[in-house]
Structure formats: C-alpha cells, structure tokens
C-alpha cells in the first residue's frame, strides 16, 4: 500500500507560520507522526512551492494506491492542479489543516475539490491521518 502525501505552497513553513491557525508542528513532525501511526503504509512525502513541480508529483502519484494533497493557497485558483488530478483513478483526498470555511470568504472555494474523492478541513494535522484511514478503508486493507 503506497500513498503519496503532497503538500503545496507555503506548507514547508508550518511550525512558525500563523501557529494560532496551523499549530506549532512542522511538516516534518506531521509526516513522521503519520508514518509512525501507519507503519505498514509506504508513504511518499513531497512538498514544493512550485506549481509545475506539483503537477508532476500529482501525475507521478498515478502509480500509488492513494493520494493525499494539501494544495495550500493553490486550492483556490490553480486550475492546472484540478486538471492534473482529474484523470487519476485512485482515491484522492484534499486536506486542509484549518477550517477554510470559517476563515476569509476566498478560502471557501476550492477549484481542486471537484477532481478529488473526499475533502478534510479543520482537523489540524489529524486530517492527514483521517485521509489515510479513508484510503485504507477504500482499498479494503
Ligand atoms: C490550507 C488552507 C489554505 O487556504 C491556505 O492557503 C494554506 C493552508 C490549510 O491547510 O488549512 O496554505 O490549505
């Protein structure tokens, strides 16, 4: 069971970026917590601030059993990410650490959501765990 966990723009700054919203865990803390919670899963963790590179990561995830994606601010306007996600025939989960629906108006709309299987928002770092549990359940493991 291989799951790609892709984090987009500005998520490499977790830990110091708006801790009152995103918490104090770094992305490294979150990914190592996820790996230890699901020791049988082979995770492929990636982070980039470059949209084109993320499109490549999304395409490469076609060979995984599932995809977890936090697109950061790309969520709200990156149609290229939507188009890269659309053809993937694996469970795809969009994760947001914060509750985007309880924040600024522009964060309430995702151009990515129509191309994914499920969306998690507002669960903090646990959202990645919930997304993993969903993919495992879908795969019947
Ligand atoms: C985010 C929410 C986005 O609106 C924001 O631009 C981020 C992080 C989240 O995880 O809550 O960078 O995706």
């Amino acid at each position: 069971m291989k799951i790609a966990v892709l984090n987009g723009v500005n998520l490499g700054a977790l830990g110091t970026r708006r801790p009152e919203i995103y918490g104090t865990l770094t992305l490294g803390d979150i990914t190592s917590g996820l790996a230890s919670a699901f020791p049988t899963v082979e995770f492929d963790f990636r982070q980039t601030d470059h949209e084109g590179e993320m499109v490549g990561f999304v395409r490469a995830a076609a060979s995984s059993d599932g995809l977890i994606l936090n697109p950061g601010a790309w969520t709200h306007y990156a149609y290229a990410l939507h188009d890269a996600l659309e053809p993937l025939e694996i469970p795809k989960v969009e994760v947001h650490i914060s509750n985007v629906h309880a924040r600024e108006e522009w964060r309430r709309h995702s151009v990515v959501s129509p191309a994914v299987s499920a969306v998690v928002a507002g669960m903090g770092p646990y959202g990645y765990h919930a997304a993993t549990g969903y993919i495992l359940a879908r795969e019947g493991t």
Side-chain angles (χ1 to χ4, degrees):
M1 164 65 59
K2 192 173 155 195
I3 299 179
V5 181
L6 310 182
N7 282 280
V9 61
N10 288 315
L11 288 158
L14 286 175
T16 52
R17 176 190 176 205
R18 311 274 327 253
E20 72 284 8
I21 291 176
Y22 299 115
T24 53
L25 296 184
T26 65
L27 187 58
D29 294 333
I30 292 173
T31 55
S32 59
L34 190 61
S36 34
F38 295 92
T40 61
V41 175
E42 187 191 333
F43 289 105
D44 184 14
F45 295 114
R46 312 252 172 193
Q47 191 275 325
T48 181
D49 291 330
H50 301 276
E51 189 180 337
E53 190 173 25
M54 179 58 88
V55 165
F57 290 161
V58 168
R59 283 210 207 113
S63 62
S64 298
D65 303 298
L67 168 64
I68 296 171
L69 171 66
N70 184 342
W74 289 328
T75 305
H76 314 295
Y77 64 88
Y79 296 108
L81 219 44
H82 167 281
D83 286 356
L85 285 160
E86 210 171 26
L88 287 195
E89 292 175 344
I90 55 173
K92 299 165 272 188
V93 189
E94 175 186 342
V95 170
H96 300 287
I97 294 166
S98 66
N99 179 358
V100 283
H101 300 287
R103 299 180 63 194
E104 298 94 327
E105 179 68 35
W106 59 269
R107 289 189 205 273
R108 293 190 191 159
H109 183 64
S110 167
V111 300
V112 169
S113 294
V116 298
S117 328
V119 181
V120 174
M123 293 191 188
Y126 179 75
Y128 295 90
H129 294 241
T132 302
Y134 163 79
I135 292 168
L136 293 177
R138 282 272 304 253
E139 293 293 321
T141 49

